Amino acid sequence: MRDDDPRLPTSPGFWRSPLRGTWFTSVLGLVLLVGITVLFVTGLLSYAAYNPNLAPVNDQTPDKGILGFYLFSWPTDPSWLYRLTQGLHVTLGIALIPVLLAKLWSVVPKLFTLPPARSLTHALERISLLLLVGGGLFEFTTGVLNIQLDYLFPGSFYPLHFYGAWVFFAAFLAHAALKTPAAVRAVRQRRRDEAQLESPRPAAPTVSRRGALWFVSGASLLLLVTTAGQSIGGAFRRTALLAPHGGADPGSGPNGFQINKTAAYAGIDTRETGAEAWRLVVTGRDGRTVRLTRPELLRLPLHSAALPIACVEGWSTADQWWRGVRLRDLAALVGYDGDPPDVLVESLQLHGAFRRAALRADQVADPRSLLALQVNGEDLSPDHGYPARVIVPAAPGVLNTKWVARMTFGDL
């Protein structure tokens, strides 16, 4: 068969949809230009929120090198900062899926164009397209799997998504630099098919290109409505039908709000959390160490703070009223009477990437940062971290360690 045989995908006549064309592709491309840029920026903010250069336990991504240049100390104000940035990252990413798929569909004939490379420049462009398409599918797929709590990765999600994002965005920037001027001209002037995407023998149209764009927009809106509620909370949570933490609150009462891991899933043995066995070990300056029972903690000055929990999967809770001992007061017990230092928090949880987590000095010093013993006027439930858990304003959920066993204050 010849390359121009209409039975082969290498032939322009094989692709007969009348929807394809420069204008249609350009509109989708400009939407992705804005949307993916926002995704990349909010992704960097999410990464920075882990304070990954504080201690290896917060980020085990190998050989980051210069890719860590943007890191900064994550603030504690406003307390809903991570809830906003990560909620936007996840919700926008899901809403852009129909746009991404429509864009890939609109240009799929170009992937079969022969010869594969007409020159060195053309070959480099085709390679960048492979990185762009492959990277985009990889990032969106791993992101959705993580949101749905399906950890089907050949390794940890965090380094995979981190390096995938850099590869994808580098290819995206190169493609945008080449194509954005032509896309803007096509949208403004409705120019003819400069990119040669129109079929030479189109089938009879069943919908206009504007109608197709409305269809894509409607699909994005549907995903937005059925996902965003997990980040917004309140009555909107019931609309988040596609989100694992959507729907009604899990149970009733003061502890009836969302969690990621149950005590059973984390392997918490109730014999270790009982009054007779559990002790909080706090270590500080010059090895000074105190061991505190839960009743002893309850006799220390207690403080309250209204704070949400926000997780990397994009879900968050409304503000819950937490009550416990300030982290900076615990630091003072072991010799840090002035400005408190960083702290390493360790959980009774035996396995998992975040059974240990580090918090920066500014997070320890914040008066709202607590070793929480109660929530909403009641003792913590086992699933919410009984006998004690950390709660810090604006920190990702995994840094709010549950089932705390040890705290080590000092430079990390």
Side-chain angles (χ1 to χ4, degrees):
M1 294 184 181
R2 304 189 315 273
D3 292 342
D4 60 352
D5 190 316
R7 291 173 294 178
L8 292 176
T10 54
S11 169
F14 178 86
W15 309 96
R16 301 194 61 200
S17 173
L19 296 178
R20 290 189 177 93
T22 300
W23 181 82
F24 182 72
T25 297
S26 297
V27 172
L28 296 171
L30 292 175
V31 172
L32 289 174
L33 175 65
V34 176
I36 288 176
T37 301
V38 173
L39 286 182
F40 188 71
V41 171
T42 52
L44 291 182
L45 291 175
S46 175
Y47 184 68
Y50 283 76
N51 286 321
N53 61 342
L54 174 60
V57 297
N58 281 18
D59 174 40
Q60 300 179 22
T61 304
D63 303 322
K64 290 179 295 182
I66 62 171
L67 298 184
F69 72 93
Y70 56 86
L71 298 177
F72 56 92
S73 297
W74 187 250
T76 56
D77 278 312
S79 63
W80 42 261
L81 179 61
Y82 188 74
R83 186 182 185 190
L84 172 66
T85 59
Q86 189 61 14
L88 176 61
H89 180 78
V90 168
T91 304
L92 178 61
I94 291 176
L96 283 177
I97 289 175
V99 183
L100 176 69
L101 294 178
K103 175 67 160 59
L104 293 178
W105 172 86
S106 74
V107 298
V108 72
K110 302 295 288 184
L111 300 179
F112 292 90
T113 300
L114 293 177
R118 296 189 296 270
S119 65
L120 178 60
T121 302
H122 185 239
L124 292 175
E125 181 182 351
R126 296 297 292 272
I127 292 172
S128 71
L129 283 177
L130 288 176
L131 293 175
L132 179 68
V133 174
L137 292 175
F138 178 83
E139 285 298 285
F140 277 81
T141 300
T142 55
V144 169
L145 288 174
N146 186 61
I147 294 163
Q148 296 297 324
L149 310 180
D150 292 325
Y151 302 115
L152 307 176
F153 315 112
S156 172
F157 165 77
Y158 300 94
L160 289 173
H161 206 66
F162 175 83
Y163 284 118
W166 279 106
V167 171
F168 169 58
F169 198 69
F172 176 77
L173 284 179
H175 185 73
L178 291 171
K179 300 297 183 181
T180 298
V184 171
R185 287 197 305 271
V187 171
R188 284 180 174 176
Q189 303 174 15
R190 296 185 64 87
R191 299 175 71 92
R192 293 191 61 80
D193 191 35
E194 290 183 349
Q196 298 179 341
L197 293 170
E198 292 182 2
S199 173
R201 45 191 295 269
T206 56
V207 65
S208 68
R209 286 172 179 161
R210 288 186 181 276
L213 286 177
W214 278 112
F215 178 80
V216 173
S217 301
S220 292
L221 180 61
L222 179 63
L223 290 177
L224 178 69
V225 170
T226 54
T227 303
Q230 70 168 348
S231 300
I232 299 172
F236 291 99
R237 190 178 299 280
R238 295 181 180 273
T239 68
L241 303 177
L242 297 182
H245 291 87
D249 287 339
S252 59
N255 280 271
F257 54 96
Q258 285 71 20
I259 58 171
N260 245 7
K261 294 179 181 177
T262 65
Y265 179 88
I268 303 302
D269 190 335
T270 54
R271 290 173 296 183
E272 294 183 273
T273 59
E276 296 299 322
W278 184 81
R279 299 290 186 274
L280 173 69
V281 180
V282 184
T283 301
R285 193 187 299 274
D286 300 324
R288 186 183 306 180
T289 299
V290 297
R291 290 173 173 83
L292 299 166
T293 65
R294 198 167 189 278
E296 287 172 335
L297 285 168
L298 286 168
R299 287 195 292 269
L300 294 175
L302 300 181
H303 301 269
S304 298
L307 298 172
I309 297 175
C311 283
V312 69
E313 294 90 1
W315 66 270
S316 59
T317 70
D319 284 355
Q320 310 295 324
W321 274 100
W322 306 91
R323 187 162 178 80
V325 182
R326 286 174 172 167
L327 298 188
R328 67 187 191 186
D329 291 344
L330 290 172
L333 288 178
V334 289
Y336 293 100
D337 297 318
D339 293 335
D342 307 328
V343 64
L344 176 66
V345 185
E346 300 177 71
S347 172
L348 289 172
Q349 182 179 339
L350 297 178
H351 306 288
F354 289 97
R355 70 178 191 86
R356 300 193 301 161
L359 298 171
R360 282 196 184 279
D362 66 309
Q363 294 173 310
V364 176
D366 193 294
R368 296 164 297 174
S369 295
L370 304 175
L371 179 72
L373 306 170
Q374 300 170 335
V375 64
N376 299 324
E378 187 175 282
D379 285 347
L380 296 168
S381 70
D383 290 342
H384 280 296
Y386 181 89
R389 68 168 297 162
V390 166
I391 188 73
V392 173
V398 291
L399 299 186
N400 293 315
T401 307
K402 297 193 286 188
W403 314 295
V404 174
R406 178 182 292 271
M407 305 181 75
T408 305
F409 290 91
D411 295 331
L412 302 180

